[in-house]
Amino acid sequence: MIQPRTPRRQELGEFLSARRKATSRRSLGLPPSTRRGDVGLSREEVAALAGVSGSWYTWLEQGRDINVSQQVVSAVARVLRLTSDEAAYVSNLTQQEAEPPVVRDAAPEHLQRLVDALEFPAFILTTDWGIVGWNRAYEWLYPRISSLEADHRNLLWLVYTDPQLRRMLPDWEQDSKRFLAEFRAEAGVRLAGPQHRAIVDRLRATNEDFGRHWSELGISRFESRRRQFRHRSEGLVEFEHHRLVPSDAVDLHVVMYVPVGATAHATA
């Protein structure tokens, strides 16, 4: 029996459709299409190459809540030339609905004590990227954090709407896209939930850059990396960007900016 569409499966269908239309035919050994040229596959071609029925794949792109095996997910991911991060995202969206995230207005006391003890910038994120705790070193890097209204204290919202934070990022276009791709990858099945949907809908309605980036459907899991910021008095500062998930609060991330190079000496 075909089930009605769910927001989670609708997200899956839209993602698969976008990637199907962007797939190179030459990379799969297919001749150019009179309609599409070298870029783009029909649903029937994806189904045939993945070894599934055309009707089944059509239902999948339509967001129908049908049974999906991981073997079939892997076959579709192979045909659409998905990256490992994109394939994991698709697999996530075919799973059962996630448990509702814990709603937090503040960080647990023991995690706040942890970030307070750190001498470098650190803050605490919820699953929808709300900032619920930070230390003095993070205020040194981003002073506005302590004066923001609670409903504006969301990292995704700030990256796209706060001019001060935008000026702090030497390559805002690249950084904002990377943040958004990580947010989407992490949200997975929760993306259709009320907390995640609220911040996405709010940004789509108010920020043109966000709408443009969101439509690109970027997916990228977090990786520790070097990050640079323009500090108001120190100039260009550099950190290693790390994130940890506490074992007793897995709905939270502790984000840390560890100084490197000349920044390490300056902050010391």
Side-chain angles (χ1 to χ4, degrees):
M1 177 180 177
I2 300 174
Q3 300 297 322
R5 299 201 312 172
T6 65
R8 171 173 55 96
R9 286 302 177 90
Q10 184 176 349
E11 175 74 19
L12 172 63
E14 290 174 356
F15 181 80
L16 292 176
S17 176
R19 289 298 182 265
R20 170 176 62 81
K21 294 172 182 176
T23 300
S24 165
R25 300 176 63 81
R26 186 180 292 114
S27 69
L28 295 168
L30 296 176
S33 165
T34 54
R35 177 182 173 188
R36 300 178 177 85
D38 182 52
V39 178
L41 305 173
S42 68
R43 289 173 173 172
E44 292 73 19
E45 286 172 326
V46 174
L49 291 168
V52 300
S53 76
S55 296
W56 183 91
Y57 182 77
T58 296
W59 293 338
L60 191 62
E61 274 201 14
Q62 289 175 344
R64 302 285 185 173
D65 201 7
I66 56 179
N67 292 326
V68 185
S69 72
Q70 291 308 299
Q71 181 179 2
V72 169
V73 169
S74 297
V76 171
R78 172 181 51 78
V79 172
L80 298 182
R81 295 294 194 260
L82 301 185
T83 67
S84 60
D85 289 352
E86 291 171 337
Y89 178 70
V90 167
S91 178
N92 238 357
L93 290 175
T94 65
Q95 304 303 310
Q96 295 297 316
E97 295 283 359
E99 291 293 322
V102 178
V103 178
R104 296 183 186 269
D105 297 321
E109 292 183 1
H110 68 290
L111 288 185
Q112 185 60 57
R113 286 195 294 271
L114 170 65
V115 298
D116 284 341
L118 300 176
E119 297 182 352
F120 45 77
F123 57 99
I124 302 168
L125 283 181
T126 60
T127 58
D128 63 340
W129 285 25
I131 302 173
V132 292
W134 60 90
N135 62 9
R136 291 182 63 185
Y138 187 64
E139 285 191 46
W140 168 84
L141 181 64
Y142 178 52
R144 284 201 67 207
I145 187 64
S146 59
S147 61
L148 291 169
E149 297 290 336
D151 61 344
H152 286 172
R153 206 176 285 142
N154 178 284
L155 184 58
L156 198 62
W157 174 261
L158 293 171
V159 165
Y160 279 93
T161 65
D162 183 12
Q164 182 182 113
L165 186 53
R166 188 167 184 150
R167 288 193 297 270
M168 287 172 56
L169 302 176
D171 190 345
W172 180 88
E173 184 79 10
Q174 178 180 325
D175 285 345
S176 59
K177 285 186 177 183
R178 177 70 180 267
F179 275 129
L180 185 53
E182 290 172 350
F183 175 84
R184 197 164 201 155
E186 289 168 18
V189 295
R190 289 193 173 119
L191 197 56
Q195 288 178 265
H196 291 76
R197 183 51 55 189
I199 186 64
V200 170
D201 288 348
R202 187 179 171 198
L203 279 164
R204 291 180 75 178
T206 59
N207 191 276
E208 184 178 331
D209 288 326
F210 181 86
R212 176 167 53 87
H213 292 173
W214 184 256
S215 66
E216 295 176 9
L217 298 171
I219 303 292
S220 178
R221 285 178 288 192
F222 175 83
E223 292 182 355
S224 294
R225 57 190 185 275
R226 293 283 184 99
R227 294 280 312 283
Q228 290 185 330
F229 299 93
R230 292 191 186 97
H231 189 268
R232 64 196 182 284
S233 61
E234 298 294 333
L236 203 63
V237 290
E238 187 172 12
F239 301 90
E240 279 187 349
H241 183 177
H242 298 281
R243 270 195 349 212
L244 299 178
V245 178
S247 60
D248 57 351
V250 294
D251 59 305
L252 297 175
H253 286 160
V254 178
V255 181
M256 297 171 291
Y257 295 149
V258 181
V260 294
T263 304
H265 299 291
T267 54

